[in-house]
C-alpha cells in the first residue's frame, strides 16, 4: 500500500520521520537489496548512493525481515551513521530530506513462545475485542483524555482512596475488555512457580503452606507493587509473548493509566512514602482495581521471582510470593535471617521495586509466624482470635438476627459471612461445623425488618 504524506521534519527530531518512513517501506515488500533500495527511493524521491549503503546495513543487521518490529527498525535507520550523514548533508545544502511517499504493510506475528492468540496488527486486535478502530483508539486513550479531562464522563476510571491505597476501577466497558484480555491474551503465559496470588489453583493457603512448621519465617512487603509495574515493563512482556510492536503498545495502553492530578492532590496527608507513591501514580502504571493488573504484575515480576528463588536456595530456604508479600523460611538463625533480608532488599531494588522495612518480620518457632493472615507454626490456619470473633458474631446473630450484626452495612451480609466461614474453617472441619451451625441458626431466625436485614431463606 502506498500513501502520500509529504512534509518536513518536526523540530528537535531530526531525521526520525524520514527514518520511520524508510523502515515502513523496507518492510513493505521482498527482503532483498534491490527491493529495499527501490522502495527507499520512493520515500525520499531519489535513488541516492547513501540509500544503497543504508539498505546494506539493514540487511546485515536483520538477515530475516523484522516484520513485527517497525519501530525498532526505524530506530536502527535513524541511528545509522550513513543515514545521519546524508540527512545533515542535505540540510546544509538546503535540500532537506522529505517523505515523498510511504509504502506500508501490516505487521505480522513472527514467533509465539506460548499458545497466545495470533494478533498481527491493530485491525486484528480490534476484531478480537469486537471494537471499531476508533473505539480501540478511544479505550487505549492515546490522547491522555483520562488524565486531563475534568468531566468524569470522559474518564475510563473511577477513583477511591481507601486508607493508603488508591483504587482505580475501570468503568464497565473497559473492565469487560480487560477481562477478555486477561482470559485470552494473558492467560496462556505462565507465571513463576513461586507465585500464589491470583493464580488458578493456588491461594493464600498454598502460599503459606510452603512455610508451615519451619524454624524461621521471614516476611517482606513491597511498596505500591501494582503502581511500580510501568508501561515499559508491560510492553516488554507482551513483546516477549510475540505480539508485534504496534499491538504490544496498544495492549499496554489498554491496561495502564495515569492518575489525574486532582486525585493525587486528594491523597491522605499521612500516606507512607507519599512522594514516591504519587510519583508512580503520575506515570503510566497498573491500576489497582483493573482485572488485568494482578496477572500482569505477576508476569512482569518473573525475573524478580526467579532471582529471589535462587537467593533463597543459596540460603537453604524456601521462597513464595502472594502479590506484594514475599515469604522465606528455613533454618535461619538471627544473623543469617538478617543477611537474607539485606540481600532480598538489594535484589528487589535491582528489579525496580522497593521494600517496606517497617513491615519486615523475622519470626522463630516461639513467635506467631503469620503469612497472609494465616498462622504457619504448624499447619496453616487463621489466628484463634479471628475464629473467636467470628463465632461470637454468629452467636449474637442467632439471638438478635443477622441484620443487627451487620454494623458495617454489607449489601449481602449472608454472602460475606459465608465467605468468612469458608476462610476461617478451611482445613479445620470441627471449626467449620460449629460456625456453619451458628450461621444456619442465625439465618432461620425471623427477620426483624430493620435496615440492612437479610433476606430470610425459605
Amino acid at each position: 500500500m502506498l500513501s502520500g504524506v509529504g512534509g518536513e521534519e518536526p523540530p528537535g527530531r531530526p531525521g526520525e520521520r524520514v527514518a520511520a518512513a524508510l523502515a515502513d517501506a523496507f518492510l513493505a515488500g521482498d527482503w532483498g537489496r534491490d527491493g529495499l533500495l527501490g522502495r527507499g527511493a520512493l520515500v525520499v524521491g531519489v535513488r541516492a548512493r547513501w540509500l544503497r549503503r543504508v539498505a546494506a546495513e539493514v540487511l546485515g543487521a536483520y538477515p530475516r525481515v523484522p516484520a513485527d518490529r517497525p519501530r525498532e527498525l526505524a530506530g536502527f535507520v535513524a541511528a545509522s551513521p550513513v543515514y545521519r550523514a546524508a540527512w545533515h548533508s542535505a540540510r546544509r545544502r538546503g535540500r532537506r530530506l522529505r517523505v515523498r511517499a510511504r509504502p506500508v504493510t501490516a505487521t505480522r506475528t513472527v514467533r509465539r513462545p506460548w499458545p497466545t492468540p495470533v494478533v498481527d496488527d491493530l485491525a486484528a486486535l480490534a476484531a478480537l475485542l469486537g471494537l471499531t478502530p476508533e473505539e480501540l483508539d478511544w479505550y487505549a486513550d492515546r490522547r491522555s483524555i483520562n488524565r486531563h479531562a475534568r468531566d468524569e464522563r470522559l474518564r475510563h476510571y473511577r477513583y477511591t482512596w481507601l486508607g493508603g491505597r488508591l483504587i482505580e476501577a475501570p468503568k464497565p466497558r473497559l473492565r469487560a475488555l480487560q477481562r477478555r484480555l486477561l482470559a485470552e491474551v494473558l492467560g496462556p503465559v505462565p507465571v513463576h512457580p513461586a507465585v500464589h496470588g491470583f493464580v488458578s489453583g493456588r491461594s493464600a493457603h498454598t502460599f503459606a503452606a510452603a512455610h508451615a512448621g519451619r524454624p524461621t519465617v521471614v516476611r517482606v512487603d513491597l511498596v505500591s507493587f501494582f503502581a511500580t509495574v510501568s508501561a515499559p515493563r508491560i510492553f516488554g512482556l507482551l513483546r516477549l509473548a510475540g505480539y508485534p510492536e504496534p499491538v504490544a503498545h496498544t495492549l499496554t495502553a489498554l491496561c495502564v493509566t495515569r492518575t489525574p492530578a486532582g486525585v493525587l492532590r486528594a491523597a491522605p496527608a499521612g500516606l507512607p512514602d507519599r512522594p514516591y507513591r504519587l510519583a508512580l501514580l503520575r506515570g503510566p502504571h497498573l491500576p489497582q482495581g483493573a482485572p488485568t493488573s494482578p496477572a500482569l504484575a505477576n508476569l512482569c515480576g518473573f525475573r524478580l521471582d526467579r532471582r529471589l528463588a535462587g537467593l533463597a536456595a543459596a540460603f537453604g530456604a524456601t521462597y513464595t510470593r502472594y502479590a506484594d508479600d514475599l515469604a522465606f523460611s528455613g533454618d535461619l538463625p538471627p544473623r543469617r535471617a538478617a543477611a537474607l533480608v539485606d540481600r532480598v532488599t538489594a535484589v528487589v531494588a535491582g528489579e525496580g521495586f522497593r521494600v517496606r522495612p517497617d513491615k519486615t518480620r523475622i519470626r522463630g518457632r516461639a513467635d506467631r509466624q503469620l503469612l497472609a493472615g494465616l498462622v504457619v507454626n504448624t499447619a496453616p490456619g487463621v489466628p484463634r482470635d479471628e475464629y473467636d470473633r467470628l463465632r461470637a458474631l454468629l452467636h449474637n446473630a442467632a439471638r438478635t438476627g443477622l441484620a443487627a450484626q451487620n454494623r458495617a452495612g454489607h449489601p449481602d451480609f449472608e454472602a460475606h459471612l459465608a465467605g468468612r466461614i469458608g476462610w476461617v474453617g478451611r482445613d479445620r472441619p470441627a471449626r467449620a461445623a460449629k460456625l456453619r451451625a451458628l450461621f444456619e441458626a442465625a439465618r432461620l431466625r425471623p427477620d426483624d425488618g430493620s435496615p440492612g436485614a437479610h433476606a430470610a431463606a425459605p
Side-chain angles (χ1 to χ4, degrees):
M1 184 168 63
L2 191 66
S3 62
V5 288
E8 295 190 3
E9 284 299 309
R13 301 176 68 88
E16 290 185 8
R17 185 163 180 259
V18 177
L22 285 171
D24 285 344
F26 290 161
L27 294 171
D30 68 285
W31 196 248
R33 187 186 64 178
D34 291 342
L36 268 61
L37 181 58
R39 293 190 299 277
L42 287 175
V43 173
V44 297
V46 61
R47 202 177 182 90
R49 184 178 300 174
W50 63 265
L51 194 56
R52 184 180 300 274
R53 293 173 61 192
V54 169
E57 287 182 341
V58 167
L59 291 172
Y62 296 93
R64 295 183 180 180
V65 55
D68 60 339
R69 293 171 281 168
R71 293 193 184 191
E72 179 186 308
L73 181 59
F76 177 86
V77 173
S80 162
V82 174
Y83 170 75
R84 291 174 64 84
W87 194 91
H88 287 293
S89 175
R91 186 177 184 183
R92 284 194 301 270
R93 290 181 284 122
R95 299 165 64 180
R96 294 188 179 186
L97 296 179
R98 298 174 58 185
V99 178
R100 309 292 178 175
R102 191 165 189 164
V104 295
T105 191
T107 54
R108 68 174 186 270
T109 303
V110 172
R111 59 187 180 82
R112 289 170 60 228
W114 302 294
T116 52
V118 175
V119 186
D120 286 326
D121 53 29
L122 295 183
L125 178 58
L128 175 71
L129 298 176
L131 301 173
T132 65
E134 294 76 18
E135 288 173 328
L136 179 62
D137 188 66
W138 166 252
Y139 286 110
D141 195 25
R142 297 190 184 280
R143 290 172 288 177
S144 297
I145 291 174
N146 183 82
R147 184 168 183 249
H148 298 294
R150 296 186 178 182
D151 189 338
E152 293 286 340
R153 293 173 296 180
L154 296 177
R155 291 181 175 174
H156 293 316
Y157 291 84
R158 296 186 176 94
Y159 303 91
T160 306
W161 283 101
L162 292 179
R165 295 179 181 269
L166 176 62
I167 304 303
E168 300 178 287
K171 292 181 179 178
R173 184 74 189 279
L174 179 58
R175 178 178 290 274
L177 294 175
Q178 290 172 339
R179 283 178 174 157
R180 189 161 186 177
L181 293 177
L182 174 63
E184 299 187 29
V185 172
L186 303 178
V189 184
V191 300
H192 193 278
V195 177
H196 291 258
F198 315 106
V199 178
S200 178
R202 306 180 201 173
S203 65
H205 279 81
T206 61
F207 161 72
H211 308 283
R214 307 302 293 274
T216 304
V217 174
V218 178
R219 193 189 80 196
V220 177
D221 275 17
L222 303 181
V223 179
S224 294
F225 180 53
F226 284 178
T228 306
V229 181
S230 61
R233 287 179 186 263
I234 299 164
F235 173 76
L237 166 72
L238 294 169
R239 286 289 297 124
L240 182 65
Y243 292 104
E245 285 176 340
V247 175
H249 275 291
T250 303
L251 286 171
T252 299
L254 290 169
C255 297
V256 302
T257 188
R258 299 178 67 187
T259 309
V263 177
L264 297 177
R265 286 193 294 269
L271 184 68
D273 299 299
R274 193 175 194 271
Y276 172 71
R277 292 187 181 206
L278 296 189
L280 293 175
L281 294 172
R282 287 190 191 97
H285 62 276
L286 286 180
Q288 185 164 348
T292 43
S293 292
L296 282 169
N298 281 341
L299 294 171
C300 290
F302 188 94
R303 196 170 77 164
L304 171 69
D305 294 319
R306 184 175 61 186
R307 292 185 65 186
L308 291 178
L311 177 63
F315 275 77
T318 299
Y319 163 69
T320 60
R321 177 170 64 79
Y322 190 91
D324 56 0
D325 286 351
L326 316 178
F328 303 84
S329 65
D331 187 4
L332 299 166
R335 290 183 63 179
R336 190 162 173 79
L340 172 62
V341 170
D342 288 342
R343 295 284 299 277
V344 167
T345 302
V347 169
V348 166
E351 291 299 319
F353 297 93
R354 182 181 289 192
V355 164
R356 282 196 65 176
D358 60 312
K359 287 200 169 184
T360 298
R361 301 288 184 270
I362 300 175
R363 297 290 184 260
R365 289 189 190 277
D367 306 310
R368 187 167 77 165
Q369 300 169 332
L370 194 65
L371 294 175
L374 298 170
V375 177
V376 296
N377 293 69
T378 54
V382 300
R384 176 72 193 203
D385 55 354
E386 184 176 346
Y387 164 71
D388 290 340
R389 285 196 300 272
L390 179 57
R391 185 180 62 176
L393 185 152
L394 292 171
H395 177 76
N396 291 336
R399 294 187 297 105
T400 65
L402 286 170
Q405 300 302 316
N406 187 13
R407 297 185 177 90
H410 290 283
D412 191 342
F413 194 45
E414 284 194 18
H416 168 72
L417 289 177
R420 287 186 63 187
I421 291 169
W423 167 256
V424 172
R426 174 167 172 153
D427 300 326
R428 300 292 179 92
R431 282 187 178 184
K434 291 177 183 178
L435 294 174
R436 280 196 295 268
L438 290 169
F439 182 52
E440 290 303 317
R443 291 180 70 242
L444 294 174
R445 188 184 183 282
D447 187 358
D448 62 6
S450 61
H454 70 291

